[in-house]
């Protein structure tokens, strides 16, 4: 699981992450010491960074809103996400998704 942040609001403050084994347009960054997956800069979505929630000191307030790559998920895996995509959403979907996500917090 990961949490999507605006790239402008994200910075690495310590160390130099390394790109993992996949060296494509979507870049997955890892800790150079333990090789834990830390964050991803998705292809075509340069304004966003996906940060692995396992890095958070406290993730208790997070709830799944969207799941991606559902075409590959195991049949016994389920979440409470209200949006789902077999792959990744298209950039044209982002405005609607951000509006729907913001509306959840307004209730």
């Amino acid at each position: 699981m990961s949490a999507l942040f605006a790239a402008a609001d994200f910075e690495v403050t310590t160390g130099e992450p390394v790109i993992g084994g996949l060296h494509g347009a979507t870049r997955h960054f890892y800790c150079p010491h333990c090789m834990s997956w830390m964050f991803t800069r998705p292809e075509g979505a340069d304004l966003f960074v996906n940060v692995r929630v396992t890095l958070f000191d406290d993730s208790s307030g997070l709830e799944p809103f969207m799941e991606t790559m559902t075409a590959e998920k195991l049949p016994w895996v389920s979440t409470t996400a209200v949006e789902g995509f077999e792959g990744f959403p298209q950039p044209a979907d982002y405005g609607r998704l951000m509006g729907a996500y913001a509306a959840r917090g307004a209730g």
Side-chain angles (χ1 to χ4, degrees), residues 24 36 40 49 61 79 90 103:
S36 292
T40 298
V49 176
T79 73
Q90 296 299 308

Side-chain angles (χ1 to χ4, degrees), residues 5 10 12 14 17 21-23 28-29 35 37 41 44-46 49 53 57 60 64 74 77 87 90 93 105-107:
F5 289 92
F10 176 82
V12 175
T14 303
L22 300 175
H23 292 264
H28 301 285
F29 291 87
M35 296 309 289
W37 182 9
R41 295 188 180 271
D46 295 335
V49 176
V53 296
D57 289 334
S60 61
L74 299 169
V77 173
Q90 296 299 308
D93 294 324

Side-chain angles (χ1 to χ4, degrees), residues 9-105:
D9 296 332
F10 176 82
E11 71 175 302
V12 175
T13 59
T14 303
E16 293 289 327
V18 297
I19 295 178
L22 300 175
H23 292 264
T26 293
R27 297 150 324 222
H28 301 285
F29 291 87
Y30 293 79
C31 169
H33 177 72
C34 68
M35 296 309 289
S36 292
W37 182 9
M38 300 187 326
F39 64 95
T40 298
R41 295 188 180 271
E43 175 185 11
D46 295 335
L47 298 177
F48 300 101
V49 176
N50 280 325
V51 180
R52 305 299 293 171
V53 296
T54 54
L55 297 175
F56 298 160
D57 289 334
D58 181 9
S59 61
S60 61
L62 298 177
E63 290 183 34
F65 170 72
M66 178 177 71
E67 56 185 355
T68 60
M69 305 307 291
T70 60
E72 298 179 7
K73 80 177 182 178
L74 299 169
W76 46 266
V77 173
S78 65
T79 73
T80 59
V82 296
E83 297 278 350
F85 295 88
E86 287 189 353
F88 290 109
Q90 296 299 308
D93 294 324
Y94 290 179
R96 178 188 66 77
L97 292 167
M98 288 190 292
Y101 181 78
R104 284 175 50 134

